[in-house]
Structures are given as structure tokens and as C-alpha cells.
Amino acid sequence: MKIVVAMRQLADLVEELEVNADGTDIDRDFVKFVSNEWDEAALEEALCHKDDGDAEITVVALDEPDVDQTLYTALAKGADRAVKLTGHDPEGWIRTGDRAAILASWLERDDFDLVLTGVQAADDLDGQLAGVLAERLGVRHAAVVVGFHDADSAVQVEQELGGGTVAVSSLELPAVLGIQAARQTPRYASITRIRQAQQTQTIQEVEISAGGSLGGTVRKISPPKKRGGAEMLEGSASEVAERIAELIRSKGLARS
Amino acid sequence: MAISVLVLSERIAGEHPEATFELLGKGSKLAKQLGGELAVAVAGTDYPVQELGGADVILELAGLEAGAYAAPIWEAGVAAAIAASSPRVVLMSTGTVGLDLGGSLATRFGGQLASYVIDLDVDGEEILATAQLYGGKMLAEVALDSFICFATVIPGSFPADDGRSTGSPRVERIEVGEKPKAVAMAIREPETGGVDITAAPMLVSVGRGIGSSDNLELVQELADALKVPLSASRPVIDSGWLPKPHQVGKSGKKVKPSIYLSFGISGAPEHLEGMRNAEMIIACNTDPGAPIFEVAHFGTTVDLFDLVPELTERFGG
Amino acid sequence: MPVAGKKQLPDVVELESAIVKSPISGREWDVSGSFSRMLNPRVLTDYTYAGFAKIASLTGGESLQNCYGCGKCVPVCPVDLVGEYGPRKIHRRVQTGLDLFKADELWMCTTCANCLRVCPKQVNMVEVMPAVREAAVAAGDIPEELQVVMEKTFRYGNALGENPRKRHAWTKGAGVPVRVLSGDPGPVDVLFYVEDYWSYHPRGQQAAQAFARLLSHAGVDFAILGAEEKTVGDSQRLAGEKGLFEALMEEVVQVLDKYDFRRIVTPDPHGFNALVKEYPKYGHNYEVLHYTQLLAPLVGNLPLTNRIDAKVTFHDPCYLGRHNGEYDAPRTLINAIPGVELIEMGRCKGNSYCCGGGGGGMWLDGFNANHLTERLSERRVREAAETGADILAVCCPYEVSRFEDAAKSTGNERLKVMDISELLDMAIG
Ligand SMILES: Cc1cc2nc3c(=O)[nH]c(=O)nc-3n(C[C@H](O)[C@H](O)[C@H](O)COP(=O)(O)OP(=O)(O)OC[C@H]3O[C@@H](n4cnc5c(N)ncnc54)[C@H](O)[C@@H]3O)c2cc1C
Ligand code: SF4
Ligand code: SF4
């Protein structure tokens, strides 16, 4: 089975995000970019399938800051091939419609059974990639996927509906799945192995020109106003513990 | 009168979800502003009708059997409803169905979409959406000007009571011609473990801030001392550190204890969804900017590894 | 392995009536009712060499097989004091089939080097353990706690996963100007390599601020790298991520090459160790001093006029003392403070106990807790408290946080833990 994992970079939320000069995007100059954690789950799930059987994994990503890092790490973890799509502005905010159009244009030339990607990303304001991509490719899709197995020309998919309830369905291949969680935490690729991958493997670069609007016009972005919020308890751990203990006792929930 | 707003009820079985009423409430205001009717699309034919009085029209998606779900089948059904009603605005929630269908339907109809929406308004010819970005660290104001606009709304953004009114909407049946290459097979209920976190008067809840499963014992001791169950945010569950029935949030349990004591939980919208209605929320998080403090009543930035043992001690642990 | 710290007594077999017969002469001994080694099972032939062969094939892993079982290393191993450990025991377990590459034991050695000090066969755990760990990590076997730190170090250049741009946020509270080379790149005498815990840990930041004030009092021309600094990552190397260490080294050297300085001074004995011993192996040679070594000869220039009437005991960091032979500089500084009475702990200098933070131990607290009766830091703090000291002085950035925590958890809050730089700063009038 040929699995394509679509991965992407995102501003690291460890950073304090700031708004750019014209107020319509975050200031990208000083933020660090890291791979989307849901894409990491998608990759992990693909790798688990490879461990179990005969999946062949291609990781594909649009050119974005530090994307090579993500692609080499994927190779070090066991992906078979890495592809970087160029031809767009790698520094800007790539909106979902454009991202999907670029990926679709490449996927149409490549052969695949399944595309896995993260169920969401912190900046997919214009909708989640899986559904948009699938519609462009004219194939089946499912989001919030927590497990799947392939059965001949179809894939049996488990989607989390909430409260642990799972919907099981069968989709004819090819299909695009938005992965919510892998069956295990993403594996570790030692830096030695990542560096080996850097030296021995190559990232294939493909230039694509495509685009597709989907989102509206962003008039402005801004950090949310702090409303009321919590009353902060100050002091040492012991003082704070005492205050919390009082609160708990005040609700009659515990003695001593 | 033409239909201007279409709300999708994401009911697969049982009751209509809370979000449906939230969207109906907001949807009826938008419909008035746009000078049209409010429609609600419902899967199947066997659903609680009387509760949908907030809408003017019910669009029954025939052939979408209740009790099973497959994205392509629902997509075909909702697409047929959209084609039949040509609304200006389609509202869904950011639940599984909304995440599934929002992007593909918007693409199919060539409309614009805003996701993680927390507020909506009509501004002249445009639909104005306020949406969360970067997990709520930013808010975006997006103007949608397409012929048909889509919004997936974060549950809890609008009061549900506004959407719960009695009335007698007309019912229209939508036939779905398209045959999607998919089969809806089953709905599987979660395995029930020993504990029921939804019944507990108080919860000690732990998030990724705990760092590793080896540290879990620390909070377990506190929970034991307080004689309450341990609950958790999803990363803790995903890592297999606690069984699934302990998860609070969108894809876990909705809880409403008298006290919700959280440690190392950032307060992502999906988590808040499960606990924001607790009577008293006390949050411990070393990051003073963590969104959990926006819903918490009391907060502290003391390190959980310092605070938890102190608390345990005070309750005889 | 046995439950934390409870040593298992050997089974002593005494039979009511027993005759032992020599297989060679045929002679018989009557050993009824008394102990005889002959009656106890011995399994000397019950192992293969395979375990050692696998370890010995690794660069650095050669020496474990040399152990001849004398046992000198066990009583000096700090981990054995609170658990079951030491090269002798690891050797024996590998002999009887332990797969060290997959075992929890692999992560418990702090690479403190106390065993090497006494081992007649030069079994070198400081090389063996990192070599085996490297192989394990490459195979994806790494404790989760450690994995997170490796990922953070790789991503952010510091083990705490803090924002690299806030690396010099501590300078704001220093009260003296601290020059950052990127903004003011002229030549400088001392490049102060702050390292992670002094940069980010709140208690470390206080020490960094104190040290900056001391440098300024002593009239030292110094500067820092600020956001351009990344950890040297020596503990990450010893915990099995040599690749990460090398990747960091490339970046560190690239930054160092940009600037004109005479010597590097760092508070972190781990970084110090790597700069002194590992960097030259790759052809990178710098003049490097631990901060106590810089200050000791200058102590006369410091106006140490405030008396500190306190009993002070000092913990030798493994990587300053045992690994790099510096025992005097910190003591010179402590003794220079008027009023201070320095009391040594039983285990000091060459035989100093380990705080447990080395070799990755800093990031394996939860993991190791499953195997130890108490933390090494707790054990050490109790030792320090028993001397009757008021202050436990340290000069490794890992230690203030470790020992303060341990002082709390062992009920020795009375014992104050202070970096030597903080003590000197207090003594300045
Ligand atoms: C469809 C969908 C459904 C989802 N459903 C759920 C759900 O049901 N429940 C759920 O929880 N999530 C759910 N999520 C995931 C959600 O988006 C967040 O990723 C998740 O809630 C984050 O968990 P966290 O707060 O534990 O981790 P993080 O966001 O990583 O936060 C950890 C926090 O711990 C703090 N911290 C670190 N160390 C310490 C310390 N020593 N002391 C104190 N604080 C510390 C940090 O400052 C940080 O704020 C869902 C996501 C999707 C897309
Ligand atoms: S001191 Fe050396 S030879 Fe003796 S038991 Fe320990 S490792 Fe073996
Ligand atoms: S290096 Fe230290 S911790 Fe490791 S075995 Fe030797 S004495 Fe024990």
C-alpha cells in the first residue's frame, strides 16, 4: 500500500506570537517553525502500518521554514521517500486552499492509495486540509481518524465522535485521512540517524504552480482581550497549597 | 421567503447535540439580518422534531441512516440539502462532522470557509467571522464575501437556550442522488472502565505538564488523599498513561464537578469544552499566559511538582 | 532486579548430614551441619560471552569485559548506596544474560567516575555506558523523559525547552551592564558561557546575576553570546546522544569563530568538561576555565567585607573534581569569605558523592525513582546536613535546584543551598 504523509511547519507556540505591521498575520520574522504535532501522529501511524506490513511511505511537504528538518527526521524514522514542493512563497502564511491545490497538483501525478495528514493545524483558519484536499482530488476522506486498516480496495476507518464513541466506516481507496492520534507516541529518531539521513538521502524537490482560494479576507488579527480571568494565588508552594486547601474545604469536599 | 441560513444538526443517533441549538440560536439572528429563513438539515427521518422549533424549515436527509456515519455519505447528503436550499450561510460546529465536511463542502460549492469561529455578524454584503487562530492565542476577523459562506463554530460560543424554542417548522425531504463509494458500518461505544469521572463531585485533572507517566503517581497520591478520581487531558490519555474513560474534553467526557483542580493543562479549546461548566475551576500552570486561566476561577503559576506534594500532605496523604 | 536497595543475602545451604567427595582424589569430607561453598549452586559455566561481545564491539564499550570481579567499585558507586548498582554488578548481570541495551540499568549510571578511580582493571563506565546508550537510542530505545529533553535540546538549543531568544533575559536583574557580543562584537577578554541552567532556571539566574556583579567588581572584561548561545550538551552526549552533541558543537564553534575573545569561562562543569576534553578531539581548542578557576586568583581584588558567620560545607561536582581534578579553586573562594567556617563532608574531593544529575540523571528523575530507595541528591543533602553546616555551597548549575528540592523532601529546609558566586556576592560590601 502506498501511503503519502502530508506534513507541514507551524509557528512554534512556545513563542509569544506577535502581530505583523499591517495586522493581518503573525510576525513571522522571529518565530521558530516546527512540524505540526498532528502530522507527527499521522507519520507515526503510517510507520506503524509499515512495521506491520508492506506500506511504502512518502512524506511530502511544502517549502516552509525549517521544513528540511522535518523531512529528514521522517526519513530517519523510516519513511521511504521525501518530497518538497516549491514554487510558492515559503515565508508567508500558506492558506488551506493554496496548500491543498499545490498538494493536489503533485498528487495527481503521483501514485497513492492513502494520504494521511494531521486532523488540524493551529493556523488552518480556512478549514482542515484533509477534506479540502480530498475534494480537489475527487477521492474519499475522513477526519478525526483514530485508527484504520486496509481491506483490499477499501480502507476501514475509525473516527472519534466524542466521548470515546467511534464511528466505523469503509471508504473506497484512494482516500485522504485526517489523523487525530496514532496508536503510540511518535517514535524517537536519534540525531545521529537524522544526520545520517541528511548525508545519505535526498529530498526530492518538485516545483508546482497552483493555487486555490477558500478563505475569506483576513481584516485583522489580534491577541484576545484578557477578560476577567482567574484570581491568581501568589506565594510559595506551601502558601498556595493552603489557599487551595481552604477553597476545597469551603465546598465541603474534604476534611483534615 | 428564501432560505438564507442552513444549520447542520450533527446528530448521528440519540439527542440533537447541544451545538445544534447554539447554532440555531445564532442562525436565526443571522437569517433575520439577511432577510431569509433558517433551515436545519437532519440526518434520517427518525429524529426528535419538536425540539427543532427554532428553525423555519427542516431538511430531512433521506438515506442517511441514523446510527452510523461515513463522511462521504454525509457529504453527499448535506450537499444535496445545500443545492436544494441555496443558503447564504452554512453553519456547522468544529466537532468531528464539521471538521469532516466543512472544507470539502466549501471546496465543492466554491464558497469561503472560516473555521474555529466564535462569533458571526453580517456586515453589508459580507459575513464577518471572528475566529480563533493558533489555539486561541490570536483572534482573526475574517470577511467572507462569497455567494455561499461556510463557518465551523467552536461549541459553547453561543447560548444554546436561544435555539430551543417551540414552533412548527415545515419539513422538506431531500433525496440524495449521489452514490458515494463508502459504507457507514457501525457506531462503537467506548469501553467503560471502573470510574465515572462525570459523577464525581471533584476531579484532580492532569495534563501534559506532568511530563511523563513516571510522574503520574504524584497526582494519583493527591487524588487518593482527596478520595476523588483522576482525570486528564488528551495527551495523557493518548500516551496510554491513563485509560480512555478518564479523558476530559471534546473527545472525552464533559464534566461538571463542584471543583475541578487542574495541573499542567494549558486549556486548549477542546479541553475547555469538557470542563468549563465546573462550578469552581482551580488551575495550576507555570505559564501565566495559559488559556486555562481565562476560564479558571483561581489560578497559580507555582510548579505542579512543588504544589501537588504540599496539597497531598494537607489532606493526609 | 531486587526491589529498591534491599540487598539480597546469598542463600546459604547447610545440610544436616552431608559428605563432600573430591572428584579428583576421591577423598571425602564430612560437612554435616556446617556451611560449605561446595554445596552452593555455582553457575560459572551458565553464561555465554555474547553479551560482552556485543558491548565490546562498540567504541568505548571494550572495557566492561575486563572486570575480574574484585568488587572494589561497588562500595564507591553512589547509585549502589541507594540501590543495586556498580560495574561489578552490571558485569555479572550481563554475564548471566542481561541485555544491557534494553535494560533499565542502562540509564542509572551517572558517569560520576568514582568506580574508575578505584578499579584495578580500568573498567570505564564513563565510556561504556554512553556507548551502549548511543546504540540503544539509535534503535529508538530511550526513556520518555529523556527523549523529551533530547528533542527540546535539538529544537531550542537548551535542555529546558525555553525560548532561545530569552537566553539572556537574566541580565536584566544583574544590576551591572552585561555586554552581549552580537550587539557589540569587539574583542573581549572573557567570554562568559552561561549554559542552560544559569540562563533559564530562576535559581540559576540569580547565580548568573551574582557572578556578573563579581566580574564587574573584579574588573574583568567580559561578554556573553546571548541568544546565539546554545548548550554544549555534554550530559546529552553521555546520555547517549553523541549525534546531538556533535550537531551542537558545529553550531557552537561557528558562533565562537565569529568573535574575538581570549578565554571561555563557564559555570557548568559539564560544558567545561566537553570544552576541555571533547572539543580538542575534533580539533577545536580554546582556553577554558571553570568560573571558580577564574575567580580564585582574583579573590584578593574583591571587596569581601561582609562577614557571613556560617558553617559551610561544599559539594564537589563530579565533572569539576573527579573528572577534571579541580578541588582547590572552589575552596579558595569559600575560605576567602570572612566569617565562614568550611566543614568537609565525609565524602569529598576525589571520593565526593554524586548529586545524581550527571550523565542524563538530571532528566531521569521519574524513571530512576522506580529503582532507588532515595534520590542521590537527597542522600547527599542528608550527608551535608549531618555535618551541622548552615549552608551547602555548590558550583554546578544543576545543583542548586537539585539540592534545594532534596533539602525540602528530606526535611532539611534549614540547610541553605547556595552557589559560591551567590555567597561571594553576599560578602561584598
Ligand atoms: C477533534 C479534537 C478533539 C480533542 N479532544 C480533546 C479532549 O477531549 N480533551 C483534551 O484535553 N484535549 C482534546 N484535544 C486536544 C487539545 O487540542 C489539546 O492538544 C490538549 O488539550 C492539550 O493538552 P494539555 O493541556 O495537557 O497539554 P499542553 O497544551 O501541552 O499543556 C501543558 C501545560 O502544562 C504546563 N506545565 C508544564 N510544566 C508544568 C509544571 N511543572 N507545573 C505546572 N504546569 C506545567 C504548560 O505551561 C502547559 O500550559 C482535541 C483535539 C481535537 C482536534
Ligand atoms: S573494580 Fe573493576 S575489576 Fe573490580 S569489580 Fe569493579 S569493575 Fe570489576
Ligand atoms: S560511573 Fe558512578 S554511577 Fe556509574 S557505575 Fe561508576 S560509580 Fe556507579
Side-chain angles (χ1 to χ4, degrees), chain A residues 12 15 32 188 191 193, chain C residues 138 155-156 165 241 250:
Chain A
D12 190 342
E15 310 247 357
K32 195 168 172 54
Y188 185 63
I191 283 54
R193 286 185 54 177
Chain C
R155 191 169 267 190
Y156 304 109
R165 282 188 286 148
E241 256 295 13
E250 280 169 24

Side-chain angles (χ1 to χ4, degrees), chain C residues 383-405:
Chain C
E383 246 174 83
E386 276 160 22
T387 64
D390 310 299
I391 297 172
L392 169 56
V394 298
C395 61
C396 165
Y398 288 9
E399 282 157 5
V400 178
S401 62
R402 295 185 69 76
F403 287 143
E404 262 180 7
D405 167 64

Side-chain angles (χ1 to χ4, degrees), chain A residues 135 143 160 180 219 242, chain B residues 75 96 100 116 126 234 314:
Chain A
E135 197 66 33
E160 167 126 23
Q180 160 86 342
R219 285 197 184 162
E242 196 45 51
Chain B
E75 187 187 327
T96 298
D100 237 353
Y116 315 111
E126 295 179 328
R234 210 194 49 202
R314 278 172 178 72

Side-chain angles (χ1 to χ4, degrees), chain A residues 192-205:
Chain A
T192 306
R193 286 185 54 177
I194 298 175
R195 283 158 70 91
Q196 267 164 11
Q198 276 166 350
Q199 279 148 19
T200 58
Q201 290 176 273
T202 47
I203 295 172
Q204 185 191 340
E205 289 194 20

